[in-house]
Amino acid sequence: MGNGLACMPKKDLRGGIGSRSRRGSYSRSQRKTAASEEELLHHRALAMAIHQHQLSQRFDGSMSRRIGSTSSRRRDLPDSVTNGKLPPAFLENLETRKIILVHGEGFGAWCWYKTMSLLEESGLLPVALDLTGSGIDQTDINSITSLEDYARPLITCLQSLPDDEKVILVGHSCGGAIVSYALESYPRKVSKAVYVCATMVLNGQKPFDVFSEELASADLFLQESQFLVYGNGRDKPPTSIMFDKQQIRALYFNQSPPKDVALATVSMRPIPLAPIMEKLSLTTENYGTVRRYFIQTLDDRILSLDVQERLVRENPPHGMYKIKGSDHCPFFSKPQTLNKILIEIVQIPLENALNDPS
């Protein structure tokens, strides 16, 4: 499983027409196999997403295990990189091999399926989880009244870790605020935090503030938005947001493959409103002790590059990366590049990360 199957074979150094013929035949066969594998992967993911709404209450806060990696500083990386498996000896010397992938608003653990596969091939240990009311978690969206409610599956996961074990947190979009909340709550459980075009807010900011330039101020949005859902009745405050499919495609998936867009449009759920309207309380004693890295997406229509630059400028991370040609969902539009960056970040030694001024 994964894009690693598409790696090209080494050149046949013997030359000759016969060797070129065999090489061409082998390459065509390999590409065909890789395409078939990817097609099967898409079908399975889509079928799982369509089926998720029929699942019973016994599926409570699912988590999927897999594998991940590391690096730092501002760089532009091509999407042609291939993912090699890290040597066992190297894996043993990593500070941690475990990566927890935190999805953004409306998404679920399902959105990380490519990243999970690629990280697993590298020998790391990724976990993708569903936040409350997301993915196949059956919690009623209208009952989520706080960031604490929304983040509970991640906090429970961190609480369950052995005292001497740390993880790397990776948050996408509004999942960045959930990561920040976790850093404030359990800083000693987190080795590094990675914000993928995410809400890396300051103390006292709301996650929604990050999107205000694109979606208007919170007050104006709550007064005029046609996307608000009043799950507890029109006489009560709105409980969630739901964009229509056309807007989801335009805002989130302007560079993503059609199959992944199809997967997302049948899988995304309403966005609970309370967590993104809540101000975060972040301290230097807790949140400030964890090394942070930010990944910018340069063709992002929901979180513009200007906004991403401002986030980094106002709340400087230890390192920053840029992904060219990526929309708001690099796990779909640029999975290989995202994987390469994550692997680099995993490999940054503790002393180097602490001395990294970028």
Side-chain angles (χ1 to χ4, degrees):
M1 185 165 105
N3 293 341
L5 291 172
C7 294
M8 297 298 291
K10 293 182 178 179
K11 290 185 178 181
D12 188 338
L13 300 179
R14 293 171 296 181
I17 295 175
S19 64
R20 286 197 299 270
S21 175
R22 289 192 298 271
R23 184 168 65 249
S25 175
Y26 177 70
S27 298
R28 287 192 297 273
S29 175
Q30 187 183 46
R31 286 194 297 269
K32 184 176 180 180
T33 300
S36 298
E37 291 286 347
E38 184 176 359
E39 185 79 16
L40 179 60
L41 185 62
H42 274 290
H43 280 305
R44 287 175 176 172
L46 184 58
M48 181 176 65
I50 293 173
H51 183 62
Q52 72 178 8
H53 300 294
Q54 303 172 2
L55 297 176
S56 67
Q57 290 286 343
R58 68 180 180 276
F59 293 98
D60 186 15
S62 73
M63 286 195 286
S64 307
R65 289 186 171 273
R66 288 294 199 271
I67 308 181
S69 100
T70 98
S71 169
S72 138
R73 288 188 180 274
R74 180 189 299 254
R75 298 178 189 172
D76 297 337
L77 297 176
D79 197 40
S80 58
V81 296
T82 56
N83 178 45
K85 186 173 181 179
L86 297 173
F90 187 87
L91 289 170
E92 291 175 3
N93 293 325
L94 290 176
E95 183 183 9
T96 180
R97 293 169 58 193
K98 186 171 289 185
I99 301 174
I100 299 180
L101 304 168
V102 183
H103 63 79
E105 69 284 354
F107 292 85
W110 52 268
C111 73
W112 296 106
Y113 79 98
K114 291 181 180 179
T115 302
M116 295 280 285
S117 175
L118 292 169
L119 290 176
E120 188 173 43
E121 290 173 5
S122 299
L124 301 173
L125 302 170
V127 172
L129 52 78
D130 288 319
L131 296 174
T132 306
S134 305
I136 61 172
D137 181 273
Q138 297 299 302
T139 303
D140 182 4
I141 290 286
N142 303 310
S143 68
I144 301 173
T145 60
S146 67
L147 197 92
E148 180 182 6
D149 289 345
Y150 193 44
R152 187 165 290 117
L154 175 59
I155 297 303
T156 300
C157 183
L158 293 177
Q159 289 173 336
S160 69
L161 293 174
D163 292 340
D164 60 345
E165 186 172 351
K166 289 189 175 186
V167 299
I168 293 172
L169 297 183
V170 178
H172 169 246
S173 201
C174 281
I178 303 302
V179 167
S180 296
Y181 178 80
L183 300 190
E184 181 64 27
S185 303
Y186 290 96
R188 295 182 181 178
K189 295 287 189 181
V190 184
S191 168
K192 300 166 187 149
V194 184
Y195 294 77
V196 182
C197 51
T199 50
M200 190 174 66
V201 298
L202 295 166
N203 176 48
Q205 280 189 320
K206 301 185 291 287
F208 186 87
D209 292 341
V210 176
F211 299 94
S212 61
E213 289 187 11
E214 277 77 14
L215 301 177
S217 68
D219 291 340
L220 184 62
F221 185 83
L222 291 176
Q223 290 174 12
E224 301 182 358
S225 177
Q226 59 183 314
F227 310 115
L228 295 174
V229 177
Y230 293 82
N232 295 326
R234 297 290 300 188
D235 59 333
K236 301 289 195 308
T239 55
S240 61
I241 306 169
M242 189 62 189
F243 298 112
D244 62 39
K245 290 184 178 181
Q246 183 177 356
Q247 285 165 324
I248 288 174
R249 290 172 184 266
L251 290 172
Y252 287 89
F253 308 119
N254 48 296
Q255 295 291 350
S256 294
K259 292 177 183 178
D260 291 323
V261 178
L263 170 64
T265 53
V266 300
S267 305
M268 293 184 74
R269 296 175 61 180
I271 304 163
L273 192 59
I276 65 174
M277 292 296 181
E278 182 178 324
K279 293 181 179 180
L280 270 75
S281 178
L282 305 173
T283 64
T284 55
E285 294 80 11
N286 294 317
Y287 167 83
T289 63
V290 181
R291 294 158 288 161
R292 291 175 290 110
Y293 301 86
F294 195 94
I295 300 175
Q296 292 185 340
T297 44
L298 303 193
D299 199 11
D300 196 321
R301 291 183 178 174
I302 196 166
L303 201 65
S304 70
L305 182 57
D306 287 343
V307 172
Q308 295 180 61
E309 290 282 4
R310 191 186 73 234
L311 289 173
V312 170
R313 185 170 59 252
E314 294 178 349
N315 192 10
H318 287 80
M320 191 184 79
Y321 297 84
K322 294 185 177 183
I323 302 182
K324 294 181 177 179
S326 175
D327 54 24
H328 193 59
C329 300
F331 40 75
F332 289 156
S333 59
K334 293 290 182 179
Q336 289 280 9
T337 303
L338 175 61
N339 180 66
K340 173 68 174 179
I341 293 172
L342 293 177
I343 287 180
E344 289 187 358
I345 292 173
V346 171
Q347 296 177 78
I348 299 173
L350 175 60
E351 59 274 14
N352 286 3
L354 291 177
N355 293 329
D356 188 350
S358 63

